[in-house]
Amino acid sequence: IMRMRALWASLPHVASFCHSPASVPPVEADAVNKRVEEAVIARREAFELLDEANRSLHLALGTATYDAYLATFSISDTSSAIRRFSQLLRVYKLLGDEQELSVMYRDIIVRPMVEAVVSWKAVGEARKSTAVVTQILSNIKHVLTSKVLQIVPLLRDTFGDSIHPVSDIVWSAVCDTLVKRMMFLFSPALPDVFHANFAAAQELLSLLEGQCETTQELYALRNSGDMPMWVRKWNLDVYHVQRTQELTDAFDKLFSNANLFTSPSMEPVTVAPTNTAQLTANASTLDLGGNLYAYHYAAAFEGLGELALRILGRRSFLHPLAARQMKLALTQLHNGLQRIESEAVRAATDGPAYIPLCYLLHDLTVFESFIKNDFVQVAKATLGEQSPQQQQQPSPPSSPTGYSANLALGNLLKLAVTCVADKRKKVSQSIHDSLLEAACVPLDRALSTAANRSGLANAPWPTEPSRQLEDTVAVFNQFAQLAAKVISREEVHSILAGVGVALCVKHQGAVISILQGSWRRLKAMQKVRRVANTGASPGASDNADFDKLVLLLYIDTSFLEEQLPQYLSSGMAGSDATVYQHYFRPLVMRGKWIVDYRQNANGTDEAPPMPALWPEVNEV
């Protein structure tokens, strides 16, 4: 330092001699030129000596800093060693050589430590074993934690934001060493090996991200000069294609199994239970409070659940691929549910459609519980392996963890639950439609018989309901008994209530249509008789035939209302009336009037005005 001061003191005199003409005495020109050349040479030598002194100073400072660094881990008086090391760091700051310190700390302190772990001998062994690769990366973490990262807070306190120790020093040395010595680390040839290597490397990177105290430091690390190369080395696209193909093959293998929908203890899918005893035997394994599947869909739902968990498993899931892998899981989930539903629809062609659909509805309820509980827990456990910085800080696009995994998780779980819930609603609606269709078949026959009877002259007054309606009641009772063993009571009541309303609406429309046609025929016949002037009282017998039809329809309606009271509650607020009482009030009033004053009229009681039917009948 003294030598440098002397050189600096001599330089102004040399400069003034070279540039000030007044300092040159009046001598010959050759003598003057010679003295100028000597001054220039002296100045050059002074600068060379100054550079040499500067190099010597930095070498001595670097050696002292390195010795002080080693002393912090070797002597018992750690506080004094750290204080000495801190004083040397302040010398670098006074000289304005922060970058010189970064280079020295990276190349002289950190890099040799990392290279000692990633030795060529260890690299040769790592080529043959994934466990050795994991061990090497784990040893690097240990070295960084015990000997490198402890000094990072001291560097941060001394230099502030002028340098970023984690990205400029530590990560640069680690990344450069791994890329140069372990190129096989990034090979996607074997998906399982690639996943293990990437997971171990990601843990190392997460350790460094955890040392970043501010957003600026984290951003500097994720956008450092080495990070783009590091990201490109990991060929995640190839890995995703391989995993997608594996999952697709497993999916096809699952649903191509001919015995997938046949349980050894149950009948094949095309043979639906036909009596209560057989159904009870098949439903003996049901437990609505547990996580059990029913009928022959168990293997399909269990296999589909395993595939969904396989995508999010720790052996295949990678955080940078969170969006694509979760989308893949959702796609396979939707396709699997479609295949299972198609099988249930195919099974419904050989018997009552609602029987296999009820089993499917039960299994969908159980599967929905699986999605909301087990699937969600596995997904959260997998994504929970992120570092706190990955969960809290927004990732720049160039980061290997650039996709917000938590956002992907939330979207996936919402879509998965919605997918299963929508499928449950669709199956429930299919059961509703199937049950309504089965109940309407005998009802349509009964209405057709009533319409044909209205054309018979002098037919007797009806006293019994149509026999076909017993089959309609049987459909409701059979479904209530069978479905109660498979799905919840609330679900059964909801389906039956919906079918009851739909049945009443359809029944009402058919009754109005029959009455409209019968009334038109009645008026047409009366018109013909008036034109022919036969002398008969117009409409006497015809009105009686029309009343007989109204009475028959009233008796049928009363029979259904009496036999299906628990299925026909209207559900209207403030009303205890059944659905039939709500939709068929005009018919009920007319039917009671006919019974009291037309069918059993004895001429002694004065009949009140005849109640009107629906306006659509147009009784004018």
Side-chain angles (χ1 to χ4, degrees), residues 137-374:
L137 297 177
S138 178
N139 292 339
I140 294 177
K141 289 173 55 180
H142 176 72
V143 169
L144 295 180
T145 303
S146 60
K147 296 185 178 181
V148 176
L149 297 178
Q150 293 181 3
I151 308 300
V152 168
L154 189 60
L155 295 173
R156 188 182 295 119
D157 294 340
T158 303
F159 298 101
D161 297 333
S162 59
I163 63 172
H164 299 290
V166 176
S167 59
D168 299 340
I169 299 175
V170 183
W171 171 244
S172 179
V174 172
C175 178
D176 184 67
T177 303
L178 291 177
V179 170
K180 290 181 178 179
R181 296 198 175 191
M182 298 182 67
M183 285 296 297
F184 59 90
L185 181 71
F186 311 96
S187 174
L190 300 176
D192 292 338
V193 175
F194 180 87
H195 179 272
N197 294 343
F198 185 88
Q202 194 70 6
E203 290 181 3
L204 177 60
L205 182 57
S206 298
L207 171 66
L208 298 181
E209 289 183 350
Q211 298 296 318
C212 298
E213 291 187 348
T214 64
T215 306
Q216 291 78 5
E217 284 190 82
L218 183 62
Y219 186 83
L221 174 60
R222 293 180 176 179
N223 289 272
S224 62
D226 298 313
M227 190 60 72
M229 176 188 63
W230 176 263
V231 174
R232 289 194 302 270
K233 289 294 183 179
W234 297 103
N235 201 334
L236 297 177
D237 293 335
V238 174
Y239 173 79
H240 180 65
V241 170
Q242 292 173 330
R243 289 302 191 191
T244 302
Q245 188 60 44
E246 288 180 2
L247 189 67
T248 302
D249 294 343
F251 182 87
D252 295 338
K253 181 179 180 180
L254 173 65
F255 286 96
S256 63
N257 184 6
N259 299 323
L260 178 64
F261 296 101
T262 302
S263 176
S265 60
M266 303 179 187
E267 294 294 333
V269 64
T270 55
V271 182
T274 56
N275 55 68
T276 305
Q278 183 179 358
L279 180 68
T280 305
N282 284 347
S284 60
T285 61
L286 299 182
D287 180 12
L288 295 178
N291 199 19
L292 298 176
Y293 293 108
Y295 209 37
H296 57 281
Y297 303 113
F301 275 108
E302 290 175 356
L304 185 61
E306 291 177 358
L307 289 179
L309 293 178
R310 180 177 175 180
I311 300 174
L312 299 182
R314 297 182 179 181
R315 295 185 177 181
S316 60
F317 184 83
L318 293 179
H319 293 100
L321 297 176
R324 286 186 280 180
Q325 287 188 295
M326 290 180 176
K327 181 180 179 181
L328 177 62
L330 185 62
T331 302
Q332 297 294 352
L333 181 65
H334 178 267
N335 294 339
L337 293 177
Q338 287 287 98
R339 297 285 289 270
I340 296 175
E341 182 187 12
S342 301
E343 178 62 25
V345 172
R346 186 186 69 82
T349 59
D350 297 330
Y354 55 80
I355 293 180
L357 291 177
C358 283
Y359 284 104
L360 178 59
L361 183 62
H362 168 270
D363 287 357
L364 280 172
T365 303
V366 176
F367 192 71
E368 184 178 18
S369 176
F370 160 78
I371 292 294
K372 291 181 178 179
N373 297 292
D374 298 348

Side-chain angles (χ1 to χ4, degrees), residues 64-120:
T65 304
Y66 180 70
D67 293 339
Y69 168 80
L70 295 180
T72 58
F73 299 97
S74 59
I75 66 177
S76 58
D77 189 4
T78 307
S79 59
S80 61
I82 294 178
R83 185 168 56 254
R84 190 180 308 113
F85 183 73
S86 178
Q87 292 173 350
L88 292 172
L89 294 180
R90 285 197 293 271
V91 172
Y92 274 103
K93 184 177 181 180
L94 292 174
L95 294 176
D97 288 338
E98 291 88 349
Q99 298 303 322
E100 180 72 20
L101 173 68
S102 298
V103 174
M104 186 277 298
Y105 195 86
R106 181 191 63 200
D107 295 337
I108 298 179
I109 297 178
V110 180
R111 190 186 300 275
M113 293 183 183
V114 177
E115 290 180 349
V117 176
V118 192
S119 62
W120 291 113

